[in-house]
Structure formats: C-alpha cells, structure tokens
Amino acid sequence: MHCATSSRILTIAGRLGQACLRPLHLAATLSKGADSFKVVVVGGGSGGVTTANKLVKILGPGQVGVIEPSEDHYYQPFFTLIGGGVKKLKDSRRATADLLADGCTWIPESAAEFDPGSNRVVTDKGREVKYDFLVVATGIVVNFDQVKGLPEALEAGVVCSNYSPRYVERTYPSINALREGTAIFTQPLTPIKCGGAPQKIMYLAESRWRTNKVRQNIDVKFITGQGAMFSVKKYSDALSDIAQSRGIQTTFRTELIEVKVDSREAVFRLVDSDTVPKATVTHKFDFLHAVPRMSTPPALRTSDLVDEVGYLDVNKVTLQHCRHDNVFGIGDCLNIPSNKTAAAVASQSGTLLRNLKSALAGEPLTAVYDGYTACPLTTDYGKLILAEFDYNCVPLETFPFDQSKESRVMWYLKKDIMAPIYWNGLLKGLWEGPGKIRKILNPTGR
C-alpha cells in the first residue's frame, strides 16, 4: 500500500474517532426499589450499553432499566494488546455508571431467572423487574472450570489466559520470561469471544521471543479444537502461511481438557476420535496460554429463551426472539452464525433499534442484519490482518486493498483508533459499524 494512501486512511479513521466525541451526559439513575419499565436490558456489556443509550433517547427517562452486576466495564479487544505488553489493564476499564446515559435506570444485580410468560426478570437479590419488551445482552462467560486443573493452574501462575481481567496482566511477563522449552496456545471446539484471539497472542509472543533472541530454543504450538485457522478461507489461508513461515506447529480438532500443574502437562481430547471415551494426547509445556469453552450465563442457559445448546433463540435477520415477540437480543449470547465481536454488536445495534422501534409501534420488522462482523488479527507488533465478513463467510472489506495482507496501518487502527470509536461512538449509540464508509471506499466489499 502506498504511504499516501495509508496516511489518508489513518486521517479519515482518526477524524471518525474525533467525530464520535460528541457530548453526552452520562449519569444513570441507581435503582433502589421494585421496578417496571417499557424496556429492560439484561447485560451491561457493549450490546447492553449501546442499546440502553439508544433507547433512552427515544423513550425518555425512567423507561429503560439495565440489569448488570459489574461496576467495571472492559474494552476486551485491548486484552490481546495487554497480554502482548502494548497496553495496560487500566486502558481498557471504565465505570459502568459512567457509561449509561442520563435517564437509564441501573439495577446493579445479576439476572437469576427469566420469566417471559409473565414479562419479568428476577434478580439474584429477589427483585422482580417487569417489562413490556426485553433485550437480552448477557454476553457469554468463560468456563475455566470446564478444563480440569485449569483454575488451580491459573491461580498458581503456571498457566496464563487473556480471557479474564484477573489473569490478562500475567501473560506478558510470562512471555518475556521464557527462554526455552515448549509454548502451547489453545482454542476450544465451541464458540468463543473473538474467534481469532487465541492465535493473536501467539503471534505477538513468537515475535517477542525472536526479539529476545530465544526463538530458536522454543517450540511454538497452536492446538485448536477447530478444523482450520479461521472460519473464513481467505483469512485462514493467510494465517496458515504466516504460521508456517514462522515455524509454528498447528494441530486441529484437538481440544484441551486437563492441565496437570505439578508435571506441567496439558491433556487434549481428539475431537474426531471414535472411541468412548474419546482418545487423548498429552503434551509437556513450559508456557501455556489456555482458552476454555464458553457459554451463556447459567440463568439464561437454563431458561425458556434458549435453543438446544443454550444460546438465545433469535431470528438471525431481525434479532427478534423466535417464540416471544417482545424479546430481542444482541451480542455474544445469540445463536446466530456470526463471530462474537464488538464489531458484530455495532452492526447488530442498528438493526435491533429499528426493529424494536417497529415492535413498540406495532409495525412489521423491516431492518435486516447481514451477519457483518470483524476480527482484527494481530500477526506481529506493527502488523495486522483485518478480517471482515458476513453470515456466509464472504469477505466484506471496508478498505480498498486486500485486507488479508498484513498491514501496518491496520495495526494503528486497532491500537489507537478503535477504542475511541468504541467508548465515544458505539457505547453512546453513535456508531453502527463501517457500512457507510464501505460504500464510499470499497462499494463491493471484496
């Protein structure tokens, strides 16, 4: 890419980030009693906050309730950069109370029961919250306890994982301390937050070991339950080439099931084994970055709102629940075939708002979500592949160049520009993805 083109793209993106810095008074009301709302939003992650902040502008004060127990909100796309030593955890954190707009009512409790038949949610403190419409935005939880021995290994500092604010700051010191041995990076079989993240940190670690002049002493292995490097062939092929060129060993359809702390061994299940129980293989490790299975939170997973595998059962086009017309969903908790990313939430948010407005007015739902999602794949310090695609795993690229090629400008987009767009655009209800920009820069998306 020519330097002039790169400069123009960064300038446009930077101005976009600045354009999102519009004043918005953020001062949610803290709920103290029994509650009834026009719309209740369960979850205060990216999907929940942007939805609540959009709706309160339409419905007015006291009409939108948000059930979210956490006082802290994290910009999780930074976790790779925190694990890679580029950012600090404090760079990713904001107070939940500061993110919800004036007029929203924040209920700082957890949803314990969904009762769609009675249009109510019961919290873990026994509070009944009634609604006319419900937006489920619970996200998904990281089940470290589903890998035997993993919680103990994490607490002992033997294993690291970028998938929790509790552990993410331990990753970079562990990377920097390794001088020899075997380094293993895992990915489970089931859907996770940002499907590319388990290998993003691997490329940064491998790069750091080259910088530290110890790479020749370290065997780097990527062991994944998936059948390929990535869900979209164009980007999967590019990542396979990068892994091969950097001497990274890849093993597919193999999932971590146990960590033995004392012997520093990782046990993996062979996904396609036809034995009962399935055959396993054990690897010794000196460094292990573990990513366990994830799922919706228990209260949602055991409710009447989910499909057979425990995800919110919605129409993938309208985001309306398949059985309850006054229930909608957004984000990672949905059972739609789209990668679980903040970029997907941004695109879903526009569809959700328009269809929810139609439902509130008793009108047909006409807005359509095409499955757009994006995954900024860090492949080195200063290099990144920006994967963008739709439900059909067809690339839907915003910029007028091949985004499967490693790019320095895309690295700076992730490192310096995407976070301001998130905090000051998406969460304030001002950013619904790059669709309009794509129509100008790259109308075909290919």
Side-chain angles (χ1 to χ4, degrees):
M1 190 195 318
H2 294 298
C3 292
T5 303
S6 300
S7 178
R8 283 197 296 272
I9 291 171
L10 279 178
T11 299
I12 292 170
R15 287 176 178 170
L16 177 62
Q18 289 298 317
C20 289
L21 296 172
R22 303 174 187 172
L24 178 64
H25 181 53
L26 296 171
T29 301
L30 191 64
S31 175
K32 296 181 179 179
D35 300 286
S36 180
F37 301 93
K38 177 65 70 174
V39 180
V40 167
V41 179
V42 179
S46 57
V49 171
T50 188
T51 299
N53 287 344
K54 284 173 178 284
L55 286 171
V56 76
K57 298 175 189 177
I58 299 168
L59 301 176
Q63 298 299 305
V64 180
V66 180
I67 301 174
E68 167 55 50
S70 178
E71 295 182 357
D72 293 321
H73 178 112
Y74 291 94
Y75 176 59
Q76 296 183 49
F78 262 179
F79 281 16
T80 291
L81 298 182
I82 296 167
V86 178
K87 297 288 185 180
K88 302 294 185 183
L89 184 60
K90 63 181 179 62
D91 298 328
S92 72
R93 182 170 51 215
R94 299 286 189 278
T96 298
D98 293 339
L99 300 177
L100 292 169
D102 186 17
C104 292
T105 302
W106 176 29
I107 302 169
E109 302 170 19
S110 297
E113 178 187 350
F114 290 88
D115 184 5
S118 300
N119 291 343
R120 69 182 187 128
V121 177
V122 181
T123 73
D124 59 341
K125 295 184 178 178
R127 183 197 305 260
E128 291 190 6
V129 184
K130 297 184 178 180
Y131 59 82
D132 293 337
F133 285 83
L134 175 68
V135 176
V136 181
T138 62
I140 55 177
V141 294
V142 183
N143 298 311
F144 291 112
D145 59 355
Q146 288 192 9
V147 176
K148 183 180 179 181
L150 180 55
E152 295 80 4
L154 286 164
E155 290 302 318
V158 173
V159 174
C160 58
S161 179
N162 285 351
Y163 274 88
S164 168
R166 180 181 179 89
Y167 305 121
V168 65
E169 289 186 297
R170 302 178 187 178
T171 301
Y172 185 66
S174 297
I175 290 170
N176 222 20
L178 189 66
R179 290 294 177 264
E180 62 180 0
T182 298
I184 298 176
F185 298 80
T186 78
Q187 181 167 345
L189 173 65
T190 55
I192 60 173
K193 302 179 184 184
C194 188
Q199 58 186 299
K200 295 180 193 179
I201 189 60
M202 174 180 70
Y203 299 124
L204 294 183
E206 195 274 342
S207 178
R208 180 57 56 198
W209 292 323
R210 280 188 280 116
T211 299
N212 291 347
K213 301 188 186 304
V214 296
R215 176 64 178 88
Q216 68 278 8
N217 303 325
I218 300 171
D219 292 326
V220 182
K221 299 179 179 181
F222 181 53
I223 304 179
T224 172
Q226 304 296 312
M229 294 295 284
F230 199 71
S231 56
V232 180
K233 186 177 186 304
K234 177 179 181 178
Y235 306 118
S236 183
D237 289 347
L239 293 169
S240 293
D241 289 344
I242 291 169
Q244 183 176 7
S245 70
R246 290 165 64 171
I248 296 171
Q249 304 170 41
T250 56
T251 302
F252 302 103
R253 305 290 290 170
T254 304
E255 184 177 34
L256 180 69
I257 59 169
E258 182 179 358
V259 177
K260 298 180 178 180
V261 176
D262 293 339
S263 59
R264 293 205 173 214
E265 292 178 310
V267 182
F268 295 83
R269 176 193 296 119
L270 303 182
V271 173
D272 296 324
S273 168
D274 56 7
T275 64
V276 180
K278 290 186 178 296
T280 62
V281 61
T282 300
H283 291 267
K284 297 278 291 185
F285 67 85
D286 299 279
F287 173 96
L288 175 62
H289 181 271
V291 182
R293 290 192 175 197
M294 302 178 196
S295 67
T296 54
L300 177 60
R301 193 167 65 246
T302 57
S303 75
D304 180 52
L305 294 173
V306 298
D307 64 6
E308 64 278 2
V309 294
Y311 282 81
L312 189 71
D313 192 13
V314 299
N315 181 301
K316 72 175 188 177
V317 174
T318 66
L319 306 183
Q320 183 183 44
H321 197 271
C322 292
R323 300 183 302 279
H324 301 281
D325 290 346
N326 66 334
V327 178
F328 289 78
I330 187 171
D332 293 355
C333 65
L334 307 185
N335 67 341
I336 59 177
S338 175
N339 272 26
K340 302 180 183 302
T341 67
V345 167
S347 186
Q348 291 166 16
S349 68
T351 300
L352 174 60
L353 180 69
R354 287 184 278 280
N355 283 337
L356 188 49
K357 285 173 63 178
S358 296
L360 285 162
E363 299 172 351
L365 311 188
T366 58
V368 171
Y369 173 54
D370 62 3
Y372 171 82
T373 189
C375 186
L377 297 155
T378 54
T379 56
D380 204 334
Y381 292 94
K383 295 181 181 180
L384 186 143
I385 289 173
L386 180 57
E388 295 181 282
F389 50 99
D390 63 14
Y391 272 140
N392 298 316
C393 291
V394 175
L396 198 58
E397 298 181 345
T398 299
F399 298 100
F401 52 82
D402 184 356
Q403 291 178 199
S404 69
K405 305 295 184 184
E406 293 176 290
S407 166
R408 181 170 293 275
V409 71
M410 295 295 99
W411 163 267
Y412 286 110
L413 185 69
K414 175 179 175 63
K415 185 173 79 73
D416 299 324
I417 295 173
M418 287 182 177
I421 292 174
Y422 178 85
W423 295 118
N424 303 303
L426 174 60
L427 295 191
K428 293 181 180 180
L430 304 173
W431 173 254
E432 296 180 356
K436 293 179 180 178
I437 300 172
R438 184 182 307 113
K439 290 180 179 179
I440 298 170
L441 295 180
N442 189 27
T444 67
R446 305 293 181 256

